[in-house]
Amino acid sequence: MKRFIIEQSSADIISHSGLSLIGQAINSIESEFYFTSAMDIDEIPGEATLRQRMDKHAISFLPIVEKASRDFLSNIQPALRPLSTGHIPVDADVTPMDNSGSHKEGVSRTYKGHDRYAPMAVYLGQEGYCIGFELREGKQHCQKDTPALLARALRDAQKIAAQPLLLRLDGGNDAIENIEVVLAHNEAHEDLPVVDFLIKWNPRRQDKADWLAIAEQKGKWIYSREGKRVALFSVQTARHWKGHNYSVRRVIRIIERTIDRHGQRLLVPEIDLEGWWTRLDVSEEDVIQLYADHGTSEQFHSEFKTDRDIERLPSGKLATNALVLGLSVLAYNILCWIGQNGLPGSKSPKRSKAQRRRIRTVMQEPMYVAARIIKTARTIKISFGRSCRALQAFDAVYRKLGLWPGVPDHSG
């Protein structure tokens, strides 16, 4: 039972904002017995002591925290829903975190024109497990250090998922270096399922008229309405990097409008040009749909920023904020797994049907629950009450872990 208290409290404590870890919230703990028992410590450190320890040891603590998060996912082997192609998605993207009005180390102008951090997150599966969240200065270009991050993420992902992987990146990471990371990974791990990629093409200064001429010859035109037609086609493109030549498929979509959506005829046609680099052998329509699903990762960003209230990091030091973010990732993955295994059951609190629950829902239902801690006969017990439905969620979680065959109606 003590393990139950420790695990529940650890996820609950870390799932608050970083400020609760190194701010004044440490002074507002009402139940010293519960806190010390849950965290397995002798006494509660003061605010100043906690801040000093985190500032002093942030660089050495961060690798330990990141390893704990990776080991957690590797050990529990979460269930992952594949895409229509049978792949498990690996979505990586930069998500600016607003820290304007501060003088924190690393806060600087981002590509969106605001003073922020610009961390890059990597998520595994449609369930959104986080396998990497690298804190970066706001001014850092999204491609800088990304190949190394992706190489680590792919190695970690294949320790968790047994299916083929599909790496998805947006146009800011349209670089041959990222494709080389995938190809080098496959070459070095031939015994593992293949990793494919789907990267948004950045047209930069491409001539749209030239691509329209190519589309007239190769494109499959669809007339979606009067004055609007869409062409889809693929071309094999040679890309060069460090003395090597790569032949990569590029899926192109061109939209030509001669009449706008309000019915106004245009003097000069509007041409939209989009493209995607991939090695998938599927139709152009499927490639576009698979990339559209990449937008789901924006919800995972939101859960860190709003549900977890982690956007405004608490320290003035970059290394300490990176540690807080690493702790947040560990708690996020624990809560994500609890939500996946504890809430969908028939005995869990009733919700609309969904494949995945937001972190906020997981925190509100099984975590923020009133309970009574009982210390008797040299043991610690926790009582939820007879009508507590959240107990059923933990019952499902612990059955999944194989830690007990069931729980009583009113206590653990």
Side-chain angles (χ1 to χ4, degrees), residues 330-345:
L330 174 58
Y332 169 91
N333 286 331
I334 294 173
L335 293 169
C336 188
W337 186 81
I338 291 175
Q340 183 184 12
N341 292 277
L343 292 184

Side-chain angles (χ1 to χ4, degrees), residues 225 259-264:
R225 63 169 173 80
I259 302 175
D260 67 15
R261 60 181 179 177
H262 303 295
Q264 179 66 46

Side-chain angles (χ1 to χ4, degrees), residues 99-151:
N99 283 259
S100 57
S102 68
H103 299 282
K104 300 173 186 176
E105 181 185 2
V107 172
S108 51
R109 216 66 164 173
T110 68
Y111 64 93
K112 290 192 174 183
H114 301 283
D115 291 334
R116 302 180 178 184
Y117 287 115
M120 189 167 198
V122 185
Y123 301 102
L124 175 65
Q126 300 180 75
E127 294 73 16
Y129 290 101
C130 187
I131 57 175
F133 212 144
E134 186 174 271
L135 186 62
R136 299 174 174 180
E137 296 184 5
K139 64 183 179 181
Q140 181 171 326
H141 190 275
C142 63
Q143 181 56 26
K144 183 181 179 182
D145 299 330
T146 294
L149 174 62
L150 296 179

